[in-house]
Amino acid sequence: GDAVMTIVVGLSTFFSVIFLAMGLTCCCIRKTATSKKENEREDEDDRAGLSTNDSLSTNTVNKKLSKIDGLLTAYTEARPYGKIMLSYYQIVGGLSFNFAVNFPPMFTKIMSVVSSVV
């Protein structure tokens, strides 16, 4: 292949991966911030006057369930991005073999690490 085309493909691939990673990170941060706000509200409710052990244990269980629900929601939202990345690496991994495309060394190293996992 042409060296210019190889560099263009490599750079566009690199920036696509960065863009997807940033989107995934922003999604997870937003969910974490929302969960923290909910926990702060629950803590304020606890300090407001719940004195019986039953109420405290119920609130503790509800807090833990809320955290688990937050983690499951984050996983559910991040799963499509993970599938996209996995499919992307499966397709791009075969390009250099099938079409004799020479990728930049940095991209080749990243692909070799990812291909060992995938």
Side-chain angles (χ1 to χ4, degrees), residues 91-118:
I91 292 168
V92 171
L95 285 178
S96 63
F97 178 74
N98 291 328
F99 297 114
V101 176
N102 296 323
F103 290 111
M106 185 175 88
F107 182 77
T108 305
K109 288 178 185 177
I110 292 171
M111 286 301 295
S112 67
V113 169
V114 172
S115 67
S116 66
V117 175
V118 175

Side-chain angles (χ1 to χ4, degrees), residues 3 8 13 16 22 32 34 36 52 59-60 62-63 65 68 78 85 92 96 101-103 105 109-110 115:
V8 168
T13 302
S16 297
M22 286 174 45
T32 304
T34 304
K36 285 182 182 179
T52 63
N59 282 336
T60 303
N62 286 337
K63 284 181 188 178
L65 288 175
I68 292 171
M85 293 298 293
V92 171
S96 63
V101 176
N102 296 323
F103 290 111
K109 288 178 185 177
I110 292 171
S115 67

Side-chain angles (χ1 to χ4, degrees), residues 17-96:
V17 169
I18 296 297
F19 178 72
L20 287 173
M22 286 174 45
L24 181 61
T25 303
C26 289
C27 176
C28 291
I29 289 172
R30 183 176 56 217
K31 286 296 173 187
T32 304
T34 304
S35 296
K36 285 182 182 179
K37 288 179 184 177
E38 289 174 1
N39 289 338
E40 288 173 1
R41 278 189 241 132
E42 289 176 0
D43 289 342
E44 289 174 5
D45 291 343
D46 287 346
R47 287 185 228 129
L50 298 175
S51 60
T52 63
N53 288 336
D54 292 337
S55 296
L56 290 175
S57 64
T58 302
N59 282 336
T60 303
V61 169
N62 286 337
K63 284 181 188 178
K64 289 183 180 185
L65 288 175
S66 150
K67 288 180 182 180
I68 292 171
D69 186 45
L71 289 172
L72 288 174
T73 302
Y75 170 75
T76 303
E77 289 186 6
R79 190 172 175 187
Y81 296 109
K83 285 182 177 180
I84 291 169
M85 293 298 293
L86 178 66
S87 300
Y88 172 78
Y89 281 116
Q90 287 175 338
I91 292 168
V92 171
L95 285 178
S96 63

